[in-house]
Amino acid sequence: MSTEPKPPATANPYRDEIVISWPELHRDARYLSHVLHQLGEWKGIIAITRGGLVPAALVARELDIRLIDTVCVVSYGAAEGGGAEQRQGELRWLKTVSGDGAGWLLIDDLVDTGRTAKAVRETLPKAHFAALYAKPLGRPVVDTFVKEFKQEKWIYFPWDIDYQFVSPIKSRRGK
Ligand SMILES: O=P(O)(O)OC[C@H]1O[C@H](OP(=O)(O)OP(=O)(O)O)[C@H](O)[C@@H]1O
């Protein structure tokens, strides 16, 4: 019998959120690059679109990697708005790469339930999977990551957010 943790059964398992700033993401990508550099030479990077594109560019700069490819996978059936329901849809492939991934870095921003990472690993079993952030359900699927967040934490990446006015705490209703 499998002892693997199961995804939460509720429709929206995210009870908390965190906003990652550009400087924090950049710092974390530099740290990831340091770790990956220690592991040896890489043939190239395969970014998992779309979230893996920015960290892949930052790692490529640090490790002087010019050969960059993509695997393109989409969660269908998701509601609009970038919320937790994005984790529910069916996975569909738009593009993959040939070979078994040996010597290549697979890069994504986040391993959440691990569903995307598992699907990508099945097609490229010998690639090294690196992500900036991981949650407990996804952690077993990733080889290298920088920070772990609770499963219930929804992560807003810098490209998801904007600067805007926020009312002082004391003036807010329902405080
Ligand atoms: O571990 P999982 O539960 O599969 O979640 C992680 C995946 O979800 C995000 O992509 P998303 O589906 O939001 O698509 P996008 O990167 O194109 O916005 C993220 O970039 C990972 O690829």
Side-chain angles (χ1 to χ4, degrees):
M1 197 171 82
S2 171
T3 55
E4 277 187 13
K6 297 277 188 302
T10 52
N12 185 345
Y14 301 97
R15 291 194 290 273
D16 193 5
E17 59 190 42
I18 185 169
V19 174
I20 304 288
S21 67
W22 282 113
E24 184 175 1
L25 184 122
H26 197 178
R27 199 161 43 237
D28 291 339
R30 280 228 168 89
Y31 181 81
L32 181 64
S33 303
H34 274 293
V35 175
L36 296 172
H37 181 54
Q38 301 299 321
L39 294 176
E41 290 292 316
W42 303 101
K43 288 181 188 168
I45 288 174
I46 302 168
I48 301 172
T49 68
R50 295 165 299 181
L53 289 168
V54 171
L58 297 171
V59 171
R61 187 266 179 185
E62 297 302 331
L63 302 189
D64 195 26
I65 293 172
R66 312 282 169 147
L67 192 54
I68 300 172
D69 207 337
T70 55
V71 291
C72 308
V73 59
V74 184
S75 274
Y76 276 95
E80 295 293 322
E85 54 286 340
Q86 279 198 331
R87 298 283 159 267
Q88 310 299 321
E90 176 195 345
L91 279 186
R92 291 211 195 136
W93 287 94
L94 301 182
K95 176 189 173 294
T96 185
V97 299
S98 58
D100 61 10
W104 286 77
L105 273 176
L106 269 170
I107 295 190
D108 209 344
D109 54 350
L110 169 68
V111 180
D112 189 322
T113 65
R115 192 173 63 135
T116 306
K118 273 182 199 156
V120 173
R121 293 207 86 143
E122 279 170 19
T123 69
L124 297 161
K126 294 198 174 164
H128 185 94
F129 200 112
L132 290 175
Y133 309 122
K135 296 183 186 177
L137 285 170
R139 190 177 169 162
V141 194
V142 68
D143 295 308
T144 304
F145 66 94
V146 178
K147 289 177 182 164
E148 181 169 354
F149 291 99
K150 289 180 180 168
Q151 202 66 45
E152 301 77 23
K153 184 89 80 178
W154 179 260
I155 300 171
Y156 284 108
F157 285 89
W159 48 86
D160 295 324
I161 60 173
D162 196 6
Y163 291 104
Q164 59 178 302
F165 175 77
V166 177
S167 304
I169 291 170
K170 199 171 176 182
S171 70
R172 289 184 215 159
R173 293 178 61 190
K175 56 191 181 292

